[in-house]
Amino acid sequence: MPPNLTGYYRFVSQKNLEDYLQALNINVALRKIVLLLKPDKEIEHRGDHMVVRTLSTFRNYVMEFEVGVEFEEDLRIVDGRKCQTIVTWEEEQLVCVQKGEIPNRGWRHWMEGDMLHLELTARDALCKQVFKKVR
């Protein structure tokens, strides 16, 4: 059975974010701002309904979805695009596939103890972020 990810998570670390942002064709000025951010995550998880909030001093992004149901995701706040998105469970990992003009785009979340792990992919770039559950 998949874990319940409900909670608030503080940013701990990240690797290769700049490569990921370049793969999304984010301009240099915006990349420099984003690289300074230390976003938090807040997740509400009730059955197959989930709300994932990425919270920062620059911008917040809210993704609300039903697991296993494809939907149009508006990513204009991130990189000016829209894509067809589906989020599913692969064992204990929450996996998102974002189909659109950027190949191999998506992410996966999983827990190790009280640490929330996130891998972001776009083209051949892989960014890893870690967050610590605080409540």
Side-chain angles (χ1 to χ4, degrees):
M1 178 168 212
N4 188 307
L5 299 179
T6 295
Y8 193 92
Y9 302 85
R10 292 243 184 256
F11 176 86
V12 173
S13 65
Q14 69 188 6
K15 293 180 184 174
N16 299 323
L17 180 60
E18 187 159 18
D19 292 344
Y20 173 75
L21 296 172
Q22 284 179 324
L24 294 176
N25 300 317
I26 304 294
N27 71 59
V28 174
L30 186 54
R31 282 199 316 262
K32 291 196 179 299
I33 293 168
V34 172
L35 290 170
L36 296 173
L37 301 176
K38 295 180 173 23
D40 288 346
K41 294 274 184 187
E42 184 176 34
I43 299 175
E44 293 176 28
H45 180 179
R46 285 183 238 105
D48 285 338
H49 183 80
M50 297 190 77
V51 180
V52 179
R53 292 180 185 86
T54 303
L55 309 168
S56 76
T57 54
F58 181 63
R59 275 188 195 149
N60 296 331
Y61 180 70
V62 178
M63 182 179 184
E64 186 168 357
F65 57 91
E66 297 290 327
V67 174
V69 178
E70 187 172 85
F71 63 98
E72 183 177 81
E73 184 178 7
D74 186 348
L75 292 162
R76 283 181 291 191
I77 192 172
V78 177
D79 64 352
R81 296 182 175 91
K82 289 185 178 184
C83 59
Q84 286 302 116
T85 298
I86 189 164
V87 182
T88 57
W89 286 104
E90 289 182 10
E91 297 182 17
E92 295 193 356
Q93 293 190 4
L94 189 64
V95 178
C96 174
V97 175
Q98 297 166 314
K99 293 181 262 176
E101 63 184 82
I102 302 290
N104 192 37
R105 186 172 185 171
W107 52 259
R108 62 180 57 231
H109 275 296
W110 72 93
M111 295 294 298
E112 289 181 15
D114 64 350
M115 305 302 269
L116 176 70
H117 292 259
L118 170 62
E119 288 184 349
L120 300 156
T121 58
R123 301 184 199 278
D124 62 350
L126 172 64
C127 170
K128 295 183 178 187
Q129 296 181 329
V130 179
F131 303 83
K132 181 176 178 58
K133 188 171 188 175
V134 293
R135 57 181 162 168

